[in-house]
């Protein structure tokens, strides 16, 4: 049997499994989605968002890319973020990095990798920001692990720097932003950073909405 056919067969079994527990499962699921969480994770096949968090369909709104990056010129993530925050009104955004991340590892090399170098450039920027701390770590694996952590913390910052999040903090007093790390060797998630609504950022990143009414939900990136 060709490998991909296994996936289609597994789907049939999954449908039967769900229906045997609840005959209306899919009809109910199709009506609406009200996820409480936006998950921003790495595309790595070993970090499946729902599986590691024990969540079901309908619970997580998910965006994954190489090395769980929040890049301010990436229309894809900004669209996901705006929809999750302004329409779905998620209460929590989780950025989840993971030890052993290939994207982070490759960002530390001088290998020219083609187009992906442009993406990994953002991780090199994180490295430069923390180079003194990182270069004081002698063990290469420990240094990589620390860069994975710092990269995740920086993505939490990047989220808080968007006008989407700042407006939502002002008008809805949500979402809370979390930075987590997944350990491939143990399967465990670890909390690393948290930013509550209204957290003050460096002044240069704060938008001033002046007298704009706090009830204005806003309609997009400005
Ligand atoms: Co990764």
């Amino acid at each position: 049997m060709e490998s991909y056919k296994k996936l289609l067969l597994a789907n049939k079994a999954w449908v039967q499994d769900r229906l045997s527990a609840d005959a209306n499962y899919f009809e109910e699921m199709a009506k609406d989605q009200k996820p409480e969480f936006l998950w921003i994770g790495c595309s790595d096949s070993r970090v499946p968002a729902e599986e590691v968090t024990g969540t079901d369909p309908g619970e997580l709104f998910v965006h994954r890319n190489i090395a769980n990056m929040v890049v301010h010129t990436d229309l894809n993530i900004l669209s996901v973020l705006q929809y999750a925050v302004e329409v779905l009104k998620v209460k929590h955004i989780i950025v989840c990095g993971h030890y052993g991340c290939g994207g982070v590892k490759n960002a530390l090399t001088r290998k020219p990798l083609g187009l992906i170098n442009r993406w990994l450039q953002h991780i090199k920027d994180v490295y430069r920001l923390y180079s003194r701390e990182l270069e004081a770590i002698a063990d290469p694996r420990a240094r990589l692990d620390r860069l994975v952590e710092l990269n995740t913390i920086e993505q939490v910052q990047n989220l808080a720097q968007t006008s989407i999040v700042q407006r939502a903090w002002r008008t809805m007093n949500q979402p809370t932003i979390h930075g987590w790390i997944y350990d491939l060797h143990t399967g465990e998630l670890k909390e690393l950073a948290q930013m509550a609504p209204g957290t003050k950022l460096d002044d240069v990143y704060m938008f001033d909405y002046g007298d704009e009414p706090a009830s204005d939900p806003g309609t997009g990136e400005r």
Side-chain angles (χ1 to χ4, degrees):
M1 185 172 64
E2 291 198 62
S3 60
Y4 75 89
K5 291 192 173 160
K6 196 177 76 172
L7 276 57
L8 295 168
L9 278 174
N11 168 257
K12 285 193 175 28
W14 175 72
V15 169
Q16 285 313 313
D17 191 51
R18 292 283 169 163
L19 289 177
S20 65
D22 176 2
N24 293 320
Y25 181 78
F26 292 103
E27 280 308 314
E28 287 300 316
M29 191 61 71
K31 282 182 187 161
D32 201 6
Q33 66 163 336
K34 291 192 179 66
E36 204 176 307
F37 311 98
L38 166 60
W39 174 277
I40 298 168
C42 184
S43 297
D44 194 304
S45 59
R46 299 164 297 177
V47 196
E50 286 86 355
E51 190 132 349
V52 305
T53 55
T55 46
D56 279 321
E59 290 191 81
L60 297 183
F61 199 64
V62 173
H63 179 87
R64 289 169 68 178
N65 61 36
I66 291 173
N68 42 271
M69 302 298 287
V70 177
V71 174
H72 289 134
T73 49
D74 177 9
L75 193 58
N76 188 346
I77 197 164
L78 292 177
S79 304
V80 167
L81 179 66
Q82 186 191 346
Y83 190 75
V85 169
E86 296 183 3
V87 180
L88 298 172
K89 297 184 169 36
V90 295
K91 293 194 174 74
H92 301 274
I93 302 176
I94 298 152
V95 184
C96 186
H98 68 102
Y99 294 131
C101 184
V104 176
K105 200 184 292 180
N106 274 299
L108 281 180
T109 73
R110 301 177 64 178
K111 271 183 279 178
L113 299 166
L115 177 67
I116 199 173
N117 281 130
R118 293 198 208 172
W119 191 253
L120 301 182
Q121 178 80 40
H122 299 288
I123 309 173
K124 290 179 188 280
D125 292 341
V126 175
Y127 183 90
R128 185 165 55 91
L129 196 57
Y130 294 96
S131 57
R132 194 181 296 181
E133 174 184 344
L134 289 163
E135 282 162 19
I137 303 171
D139 177 40
R141 194 176 140 177
R143 189 190 298 167
L144 176 64
D145 284 353
R146 185 59 184 150
L147 182 55
V148 162
E149 293 178 353
L150 293 170
N151 184 55
T152 302
I153 290 168
E154 281 302 305
Q155 306 321 307
V156 169
Q157 285 282 339
N158 283 343
L159 281 168
Q161 288 165 12
T162 63
S163 57
I164 298 167
V165 166
Q166 289 187 26
R167 187 180 287 266
W169 279 359
R170 183 168 182 272
T171 59
M172 297 186 276
N173 198 36
Q174 66 181 42
T176 301
I177 309 174
H178 307 261
W180 293 358
I181 298 288
Y182 179 76
D183 190 331
L184 292 172
H185 293 279
T186 65
E188 289 176 6
L189 285 167
K190 176 170 84 176
E191 289 187 87
L192 199 67
Q194 189 170 317
M195 280 182 96
T199 301
K200 287 272 177 290
L201 310 176
D202 280 357
D203 213 43
V204 74
Y205 293 119
M206 298 290 290
F207 295 108
D208 183 1
Y209 289 108
D211 295 331
E212 185 178 288
S215 59
D216 178 3
T219 50
E221 179 70 15
R222 288 160 200 91

